[in-house]
Amino acid sequence: MNLRTLTPLLVSLLTGAPVALAQPAQPAAQPAQKSASPSSVQGATPLPGQPNLLASGVPEIPPELRKRVLQYLETRSANLMDVSRDGKQVLISTRFADTNQLHVVEQPMGARFQLTFTPEPINSAVFHPKDSNVLFFMQDVGGGEFFQLFRFDRRNGRSEMLTDGKSRHEALLLSEDGKWLAYSGTGRNGKDTDVYVAPTDNPRQARRLTEAEGSWYPGDFSRDGSRLLALQFRAADDSDLHVVDMKTGERRQLTPKEGKGSIDGAVFTPDGKSVYVVTDRYSDFTELYKLELDKAPYTSAPPSLTKSIRWNVEGIALSEDGKTLAVSMNEDGYSRLYLMDTKRGSLSPVELPRGVMTQFTFPRGRSDVLVYGVTTSKSPADIYMLDLRTKKSTRWTRSEVGGLDTDTFVEPELVRYKAKDGVEVPAFLYMPRERKGKVPVVVVFHGGPEAQSRPWLSSFTQYLAVEMGMAVLTPNVRGSDGYGKSFRAMDDGVKREQSLADIGATLDYIASRAELDASRVGVDGGSYGGYMVLASAAFYPERFRAAVDVVGISSLPTFLQNTQAYRQELRRVEYGDERDPEVRKVQERISPLNSVDRIKAALFVQQGANDPRVPQSEAEQIVKAVRARGSDVWYMLALDEGHGFGKKANRDTITMATFLFLEKHLGTPSGK
């Protein structure tokens, strides 16, 4: 609902007992047990020096490629976690060794003082509101996403785990007075996600504030700590907002019981009488509304505070005095920051680097500065502090880009093209500056599917364009976020079959550009993007030469059957219920696994063994099915990763192998 609840939770678990974080620790809980053999793919064996990374059919990476790509792999970013009450300490997550860890920055461009030293990444943390020497963070083991809550004391450098070590937890939030913390967890039955609250002075005494079917998350505490906003999440387009009494547990729904819509942000006003809410319930776009609690639930649409801007509100933050509301808009993929005078309702734009805001927040004790993170197509995420009086930003971090000259990086062109049924597809096209004749193209599909390709720095994209002389096209096919709820709903359920036409439209667009080589097209994508990769190879077999599937879905029915229990109903809303025979017919028809006989492109499949979302079986069944036809398939499996690759050693090797694969099948770098 705000920075403190929506910070990405890509974190990992250490131990059930207090332990100095600088020391290795044994995990208290592991993801689901695996069979004796870590992989069913023939020939999957550990790489020399990397026993947790298995490979089958992948050749050795040449030293010259390793040397060429090394600097790009050293790119890092500064991810905003929190800011101290007085605004003098900024808590960030960044990587100096193998994984993202917590650091504190105490002045503009000051040293990043590292706090945690763990083998697993930490990407979710908050300060204690009254004592910045104490912070809380979440972490999992091996990418399994069964996050646990920890308390860390900077005075002695020690941490203790506060949750059960086996359930999944997320959405960490602390009250303004520092007396309460809230989070969500699956401890009741392993399937439903409830909201828990606990006193910060005795956090092990947590109690369930909500106990209901489905997924519930904490949103925002009232300033006096007496009430909590709770989000009931069913799907990206179907959520409700409730206010819960902290003492009695009494719950009142604020959004109408009829109809549906998203909830993409909610925060109490300082007096606790109203709530600012970001929702698309009353419009095609997510807009900002102010709900007066004594009038909720509203029977008709309240006035929109952002109706003059026909794009999605992507985030809000309210100043301590309640006079200023920071509003970030997603305008055609780029972030635009506005400051709203809450008394007059006027919006004033603020000049920022042209890119994507990552997180932003006001210090709890100040109203004159806003701390934010932003990334552009040529620079990684870094932290800035905006002075609201002068409207000037001061840079607090400068993340390294491997010593590379970012002036050599390419900025994307925002393009649009239409599918045969008239649906328009927005996309970002990165063109190499130096080219001789037509250049090969790599299409990169985003995950989600309710996500969006945006113009942020990707060292992967820049290496392809700058070093390998390849164009990169990142489409936002129907079903993507950022272009209104009607566009996002175009691929729901059985309509997903229609969305596959956007692959053909993408290929037709490539063919329409004289500088692009439509005979040398590769495709890359992760998660749902991995499904799109496999669908591209299966349903447009003559038009792709190479396909890189990262933790992707190969069969919609088996994916829905085997994903973690806490995710099944959420994903059935998006993909359709595989238990319905008519729905399953469509799912089977558009599942790449059932069309492997059509695949002609070279295939490289990458997977994390602990993936709770898209299980390892999805990767291995497509590898074995394609190989059974006599095709050569590269396969890599990381035993200590989940839905993606959070450890640098794994990510580096997999990325280098990907470049080797694309170079082999699409051609050598132009002019290299």
Side-chain angles (χ1 to χ4, degrees):
M1 313 298 285
N2 53 38
L3 170 70
R4 297 177 179 91
T5 59
L6 291 185
T7 301
L9 299 178
L10 306 175
V11 291
S12 63
L13 164 67
L14 287 181
T15 178
V19 62
L21 287 182
Q23 302 298 321
Q26 294 300 315
Q30 294 284 359
Q33 292 293 317
K34 302 288 181 183
S35 61
S37 174
S39 174
S40 63
V41 171
Q42 187 175 4
T45 55
L47 290 178
Q50 288 185 268
N52 286 328
L53 195 57
L54 276 57
S56 174
V58 182
E60 185 177 353
I61 297 168
E64 58 271 20
L65 173 60
R66 189 179 296 273
K67 180 179 180 181
R68 198 165 84 227
V69 75
L70 184 61
Q71 286 180 282
Y72 289 83
L73 300 177
E74 291 301 329
T75 298
R76 59 177 132 255
S77 60
N79 306 300
L80 178 61
M81 299 288 100
D82 201 3
V83 58
S84 62
R85 191 175 199 88
D86 59 8
K88 294 182 178 180
Q89 299 181 71
V90 175
L91 182 65
I92 67 171
S93 173
T94 191
R95 178 198 58 77
F96 277 89
D98 193 44
T99 59
N100 278 4
Q101 296 296 308
L102 299 179
H103 298 67
V104 165
V105 183
E106 297 181 330
Q107 63 183 19
M109 302 304 293
R112 289 157 286 185
F113 182 78
Q114 189 165 345
L115 302 179
T116 59
F117 299 81
T118 75
E120 301 287 352
I122 303 176
N123 288 296
S124 173
V126 294
F127 283 122
H128 189 292
K130 299 289 187 173
D131 183 2
S132 59
N133 282 314
V134 174
L135 53 91
F136 297 85
F137 68 87
M138 285 191 172
Q139 196 175 48
D140 73 345
V141 167
E145 298 186 12
F146 278 74
F147 304 106
Q148 304 302 317
L149 174 63
F150 291 83
R151 181 184 185 275
F152 176 72
D153 192 327
R154 293 169 61 185
R155 286 170 288 240
N156 59 24
R158 301 180 73 86
S159 72
E160 60 176 326
M161 188 170 67
L162 306 176
T163 41
D164 61 12
K166 57 184 180 180
S167 305
R168 184 179 192 270
H169 307 88
E170 55 185 326
L172 174 61
L173 175 70
L174 272 76
S175 63
E176 180 74 14
D177 58 13
K179 293 182 179 179
W180 293 96
L181 60 84
Y183 55 89
S184 62
T186 60
R188 179 164 55 91
N189 58 17
K191 178 177 178 289
D192 297 311
T193 302
D194 301 309
V195 174
Y196 290 76
V197 294
T200 53
D201 60 0
N202 192 7
R204 294 182 185 276
Q205 298 301 311
R207 61 186 174 90
R208 283 191 289 272
L209 195 63
T210 65
E211 190 169 309
E213 184 179 3
S215 299
W216 294 73
Y217 302 95
D220 188 40
F221 281 103
S222 60
R223 293 289 175 90
D224 63 4
S226 66
R227 289 169 296 165
L228 178 70
L229 293 176
L231 173 69
Q232 182 183 13
F233 183 87
R234 301 181 193 87
D237 64 347
D238 188 10
S239 297
D240 279 303
L241 189 65
H242 303 252
V243 61
V244 187
D245 187 285
M246 286 282 289
K247 287 185 178 179
T248 66
E250 180 184 357
R251 185 171 73 239
R252 181 161 68 97
Q253 186 168 324
L254 302 181
T255 45
K257 296 185 182 297
E258 301 77 23
K260 65 179 184 178
S262 67
I263 300 290
D264 294 307
V267 60
F268 277 107
T269 56
D271 61 11
K273 295 181 180 179
S274 302
V275 176
Y276 289 107
V277 179
V278 177
T279 179
D280 63 9
R281 180 177 287 269
Y282 310 107
S283 168
D284 193 44
F285 289 91
T286 56
E287 298 186 24
L288 175 65
Y289 303 87
K290 186 178 182 181
L291 305 182
E292 297 178 41
L293 297 189
D294 60 359
K295 296 181 180 179
Y298 283 66
T299 55
S300 59
S304 168
L305 303 179
T306 54
K307 62 181 179 182
S308 62
I309 305 172
R310 301 303 296 162
W311 291 103
N312 279 350
V313 176
E314 61 182 359
I316 57 174
L318 185 64
S319 63
E320 177 70 14
D321 60 14
K323 295 180 179 180
T324 305
L325 189 70
V327 182
S328 177
M329 308 291 298
N330 176 353
E331 299 185 4
D332 228 346
Y334 291 91
S335 293
R336 185 77 182 273
L337 178 65
Y338 295 84
L339 297 178
M340 173 179 286
D341 182 321
T342 57
K343 185 176 182 180
R344 296 186 309 221
S346 57
L347 285 166
S348 302
V350 178
E351 286 298 321
L352 298 179
R354 183 168 165 78
V356 181
M357 292 187 72
T358 54
Q359 299 286 0
F360 59 99
T361 187
F362 288 93
R364 291 181 186 266
R366 296 178 62 177
S367 299
D368 61 327
V369 294
L370 178 78
V371 183
Y372 65 91
V374 66
T375 174
T376 75
S377 58
K378 299 175 72 171
S379 61
D382 270 313
I383 311 302
Y384 296 78
M385 189 174 290
L386 173 70
D387 187 319
L388 269 63
R389 293 165 296 189
T390 65
K391 303 299 187 294
K392 300 296 184 183
S393 291
T394 301
R395 188 169 191 162
W396 272 61
T397 66
R398 187 184 298 276
S399 295
E400 297 81 359
V401 193
L404 295 166
D405 179 5
T406 57
D407 286 341
T408 65
F409 288 1
V410 298
E411 293 186 9
E413 174 190 358
L414 178 59
V415 301
R416 286 180 166 83
Y417 47 87
K418 288 186 177 181
K420 290 182 179 179
D421 59 1
V423 172
E424 188 174 69
V425 178
F428 290 97
L429 175 64
Y430 298 78
M431 288 293 298
R433 290 181 177 178
E434 298 180 10
R435 52 185 184 267
K436 297 178 181 179
K438 292 177 177 287
V439 298
V441 185
V442 178
V443 178
V444 179
F445 288 112
H446 65 69
E450 320 97 320
Q452 184 182 9
S453 293
R454 304 185 67 180
W456 42 48
L457 176 65
S458 165
S459 57
F460 178 80
T461 294
Q462 293 296 340
Y463 184 85
L464 287 174
V466 176
E467 301 290 338
M468 297 183 68
M470 296 182 180
V472 179
L473 183 64
T474 62
N476 284 305
V477 298
R478 71 188 77 187
S480 300
D481 200 11
Y483 305 95
K485 65 183 180 183
S486 299
F487 189 81
R488 188 182 60 205
M490 283 184 177
D491 68 343
D492 289 353
V494 296
K495 291 185 290 185
R496 193 160 312 280
E497 188 166 25
Q498 302 167 24
S499 74
L500 298 181
D502 293 351
I503 301 173
T506 300
L507 290 162
D508 291 344
Y509 172 76
I510 291 171
S512 74
R513 296 281 298 240
E515 63 269 58
L516 303 180
D517 189 346
S519 70
R520 290 190 292 162
V521 179
V523 59
D524 178 280
S527 191
Y528 178 74
Y531 164 78
M532 290 293 284
V533 165
L534 295 174
S536 297
F539 303 123
Y540 294 87
E542 307 293 341
R543 303 177 73 178
F544 287 98
R545 281 196 182 185
V548 182
D549 161 31
V550 185
V551 297
I553 301 165
S554 58
S555 166
L556 290 169
T558 60
F559 155 68
L560 291 167
Q561 290 164 198
N562 297 325
T563 192
Q564 283 282 340
Y566 69 86
R567 303 188 71 250
Q568 278 183 315
E569 293 306 317
L570 299 177
R571 294 296 79 194
R572 283 170 176 151
V573 173
E574 174 66 32
Y575 296 105
D577 193 333
E578 82 286 359
R579 297 167 298 185
D580 181 323
E582 293 305 311
V583 172
R584 190 175 184 116
K585 282 182 184 178
V586 178
Q587 292 177 341
E588 296 283 9
R589 188 163 61 239
I590 64 174
S591 289
L593 184 65
N594 297 330
S595 295
V596 291
D597 58 317
R598 301 178 61 185
I599 294 177
K600 295 183 178 181
L603 182 61
F604 186 6
V605 178
Q606 305 165 6
Q607 181 67 36
N610 303 321
D611 192 339
R613 306 188 193 191
V614 180
Q616 179 181 338
S617 55
E618 288 298 304
E620 302 208 340
Q621 65 188 9
I622 193 73
V623 170
K624 291 186 289 187
V626 175
R627 279 188 175 175
R629 297 179 53 251
S631 300
D632 181 30
V633 182
W634 295 15
Y635 179 55
M636 297 191 84
L637 174 70
L639 301 181
D640 53 348
E641 301 278 14
H643 198 62
F645 309 106
K647 297 181 172 66
K648 187 177 186 300
N650 294 335
R651 189 168 59 248
D652 286 0
T653 300
I654 290 169
T655 302
M656 286 186 282
T658 303
F659 291 143
L660 180 64
F661 177 80
L662 293 173
E663 186 172 278
K664 174 182 177 180
H665 295 288
L666 299 184
T668 56
S670 174
K672 301 296 179 183

